[in-house]
């Protein structure tokens, strides 16, 4: 994957309505799931108890939190494109978030995204992304969402 690089926010209009480069695969480890559970205090057995999950879970293994996938969107998008003049970026919100498929531990995920809309926002730009987090070897994705991000120069 080759990251798209822009000099400034004015150049961003070229990507509205277009797909960004497909993200690289990354592996969701048990340590990542445990760290997320500790950070969010969401310690349900399906996420952290490997023995119980092997016995009772439909996947026969632990699964990542759905919100873990969503929380990675800003980092994954930052690997797809960059604006050199930006001094700050902020998460603005999410629309239409769904988790169609569980993410078993050691699954490989990647981001497919496009820029749905670019709007002026104060002294910056507000970008709405259509995002799909794919699971390698699975037909249904882990997460689909509209992700809104604000960039300032």
């Amino acid at each position: 994957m080759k990251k798209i690089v822009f000099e400034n926010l004015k150049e961003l209009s070229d990507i509205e309505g277009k797909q960004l480069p497909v993200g690289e695969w990354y592996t969701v480890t048990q340590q990542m799931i445990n760290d997320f559970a500790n950070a969010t205090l969401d310690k349900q057995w399906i996420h952290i108890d490997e023995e119980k999950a092997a016995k009772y879970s439909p996947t026969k293994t632990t699964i990542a939190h759905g919100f873990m996938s969503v929380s990675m969107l800003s980092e994954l998008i930052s690997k797809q494109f960059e604006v050199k003049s930006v001094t700050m970026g902020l998460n603005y919100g999410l629309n239409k978030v769904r988790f169609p498929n569980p993410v078993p531990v050691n699954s490989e995920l990647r981001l497919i995204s496009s820029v749905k809309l670019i709007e002026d926002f104060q002294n910056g730009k507000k970008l709405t992304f259509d995002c799909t987090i794919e699971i390698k070897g699975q037909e249904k994705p882990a997460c689909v969402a509209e992700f809104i991000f604000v960039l300032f120069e």
Side-chain angles (χ1 to χ4, degrees), residues 18-25 73 76-77 80 109-115 129-135 141 143-145:
K18 295 181 181 168
Q19 185 172 322
L20 295 173
V22 174
E24 295 180 15
W25 293 106
L73 285 175
L76 296 174
I77 287 174
Q80 293 177 317
L109 306 180
R110 72 175 175 186
L111 177 64
I112 306 293
S113 67
S114 61
V115 180
F129 300 89
D130 279 327
C131 298
T132 301
I133 299 178
E134 294 184 324
I135 307 170
C143 177
V144 291

Side-chain angles (χ1 to χ4, degrees), residues 64-80:
H65 306 71
F67 286 117
M68 185 174 152
S69 300
V70 169
S71 70
M72 296 183 73
L73 285 175
S74 57
E75 174 62 19
L76 296 174
I77 287 174
S78 75
K79 294 179 182 300
Q80 293 177 317

Side-chain angles (χ1 to χ4, degrees), residues 70-108:
V70 169
S71 70
M72 296 183 73
L73 285 175
S74 57
E75 174 62 19
L76 296 174
I77 287 174
S78 75
K79 294 179 182 300
Q80 293 177 317
F81 88 101
E82 171 186 355
V83 182
K84 288 183 178 181
S85 64
V86 166
T87 57
M88 183 175 63
L90 297 172
N91 295 333
Y92 189 81
L94 295 156
N95 296 325
K96 304 176 187 176
V97 178
R98 299 291 181 269
F99 307 111
N101 204 1
V103 177
V105 67
N106 298 319
S107 292
E108 292 184 67

Side-chain angles (χ1 to χ4, degrees), residues 20-40:
L20 295 173
V22 174
E24 295 180 15
W25 293 106
Y26 68 94
T27 302
V28 176
T29 66
Q30 188 62 51
Q31 185 62 54
M32 291 169 69
I33 295 169
N34 292 347
D35 289 345
F36 192 85
N38 287 328
T40 61

Side-chain angles (χ1 to χ4, degrees), residues 121-132:
F121 185 85
Q122 297 173 6
N123 62 338
K125 296 285 184 184
K126 181 168 65 170
L127 289 79
T128 301
F129 300 89
D130 279 327
C131 298
T132 301

